Amino acid sequence: MTAREQLDSLARLRGGVDAALRDQLCERFGVVLDRPIRQLSKGNRQKVGLVQAFMHRPELVVLDEPSSGLDPLLQAELRSLLRETAADGRTVFLSSHSLDEVQHVAERVGIIRNGRLADVDAVERLRERALRHVTIVFAEPVDASRFAALDGVRVDNADGKVVHLSAPEAAMDAVVKEAAARRVVDLVSQPADLEEIFLELYEEPESGS
């Protein structure tokens, strides 16, 4: 069967779908419609699968690694479609090892460890719980131990005038005040991404182990 025949067959099984929506999705993802599916590349088969998943406007979509095989432009298009679906009041369950993809489209994240949910929370709250990475450049060499003494702060590296540290959001005020006691040339603070949060959870020993 060609991709067109496959989509037509599935539409008939459902009792019909919105043909305009199906055509729009095919154009949006550049689906190759008139070649046998077995001759299509992995990426082109993935496009057909995405059209199958969305062409009937489902109230619930369950997707496993949906961006696999797609080029970066189509991955961005898929993220737009997922956001549009959620904005329409419908639900998307997305399983992915691409944490960059997850943090760009998800509102809530569940992290699975050894077949069990290790954590479930809103993306923003997970980020708030994570350590921020801070680099401070001073005009003169400083004693980094003063930062290490602050509650919750970890000095990752210190080399004379430059201090790299990790700190929870609640400790940032103390970090800035401690730094302000000297002449600061530059200060950069970056939030942790979901990949770091994921790895931290996996490094922690499981309860009862």
Side-chain angles (χ1 to χ4, degrees), residues 75-196:
Q75 289 178 18
E77 194 64 50
L78 172 60
R79 289 196 291 268
S80 295
L81 178 59
L82 296 177
R83 286 191 289 266
E84 291 164 16
T85 302
D88 192 37
R90 293 178 282 143
T91 300
V92 178
F93 284 166
L94 166 67
S95 170
S96 178
H97 286 89
S98 172
L99 298 180
D100 180 65
E101 175 179 66
V102 171
Q103 67 186 358
H104 279 92
V105 298
E107 295 177 358
R108 288 176 60 80
V109 175
I111 297 176
I112 297 175
R113 175 178 175 176
N114 295 331
R116 296 182 179 181
L117 276 174
D119 207 340
V120 181
D121 211 338
V123 171
E124 288 307 313
R125 282 199 292 271
L126 282 172
R127 284 177 173 165
E128 287 171 4
R129 287 162 45 189
L131 298 178
R132 300 184 69 87
H133 302 298
V134 184
T135 299
I136 312 173
V137 181
F138 295 93
E140 302 292 338
V142 297
D143 179 7
S145 66
R146 296 180 66 90
F147 291 97
L150 298 175
D151 188 31
V153 176
R154 181 184 73 220
V155 174
D156 298 315
N157 187 37
D159 183 13
K161 301 177 183 179
V162 183
V163 177
H164 300 276
L165 56 86
S166 300
E169 189 172 294
M172 287 302 298
D173 182 63
V175 168
V176 171
K177 287 176 179 175
E178 183 64 42
R182 300 148 193 82
R183 191 158 77 86
V184 175
V185 175
D186 194 15
L187 187 152
V188 178
S189 174
Q190 297 177 317
D193 61 21
L194 286 184
E195 183 171 3
E196 290 177 270

